[in-house]
Amino acid sequence: MTEADQLSGLRNGEGQTSSDAVDPAGLWNRFHSRLLMLGMRRLGSRVDAEDMAQETVHRVAEALGENRLREPAALPAFVFQTARHVCQQWLRKRGRERRALERYGREPPAADAAVHPLTHLIDEERRRSVRAALESLEAEDRHLLEQLYARDVEPEQLARALQITPGALRVRKHRALKRLAAALGGTVTE
């Protein structure tokens, strides 16, 4: 069987061009073990290697579905070049995370030895009062503030999830913060 036959075997139907037209299982079966070896060698972890293999197959299937591979004989080279790119991205991300952790680790703690014990009690009391104020809010307000501030959901994404406009979300957020400030006995500045 030629490379062209194998490539066409990875496509479903009559030359469809959507990413649904490619059979990722065929790619997976054909390249999985070699991608796994490459990933383990470069990333040093079987779990990361499995993730890299999945990401590679996903990207290659997408590229095949969009007909970005013009030469069927180049499929193996395309797969492994994509895998190398995925590995490089993984390693860069791992390096950024390591450097960020080192930066935080190098920064001295907030001079805990010099902090008066009363400061810890005051901080704990603040946390308790904020928790109590949040609990006093309506469930809708609590959910909205939790998504925006505790879970760091992007406002546009939350607006879509709630099926409201970004402007309506800003109004709801402002009102929820105002109610939270009132429950805390203060005013909102945002």
Side-chain angles (χ1 to χ4, degrees), residues 10 19 31 36 45 58 60 113 135 137 143 161:
L10 296 173
S19 59
F31 294 105
L36 195 57
S45 160
H58 171 76
V60 170
E135 289 299 317
L137 294 178
H143 174 73

Side-chain angles (χ1 to χ4, degrees), residues 39-50:
M40 288 175 62
R41 193 170 56 244
R42 289 188 178 228
L43 302 173
S45 160
R46 183 174 180 91
V47 172
D48 288 345
E50 284 286 352

Side-chain angles (χ1 to χ4, degrees), residues 37 63 70 135 155 166:
M37 285 190 304
R70 300 286 179 223
E135 289 299 317

Side-chain angles (χ1 to χ4, degrees), residues 100-166:
L101 289 173
E102 287 172 358
R103 248 192 329 269
Y104 292 128
R106 272 191 248 138
E107 291 180 6
D112 278 342
V115 174
H116 193 278
L118 185 58
T119 304
H120 293 293
L121 292 174
I122 292 170
D123 288 344
E124 183 57 36
E125 181 58 33
R126 279 189 194 137
R127 281 191 285 278
R128 272 193 229 118
S129 62
V130 169
R131 272 189 226 114
L134 281 169
E135 289 299 317
S136 73
L137 294 178
E138 300 277 332
E140 187 176 286
D141 287 345
R142 207 172 34 249
H143 174 73
L144 181 109
L145 294 176
E146 176 188 339
Q147 294 299 312
L148 290 171
Y149 294 103
R151 300 192 189 281
D152 288 329
V153 174
E154 292 295 320
E156 296 80 18
Q157 183 182 358
L158 184 58
R160 279 192 305 272
L162 295 173
Q163 297 179 342
I164 59 175
T165 65

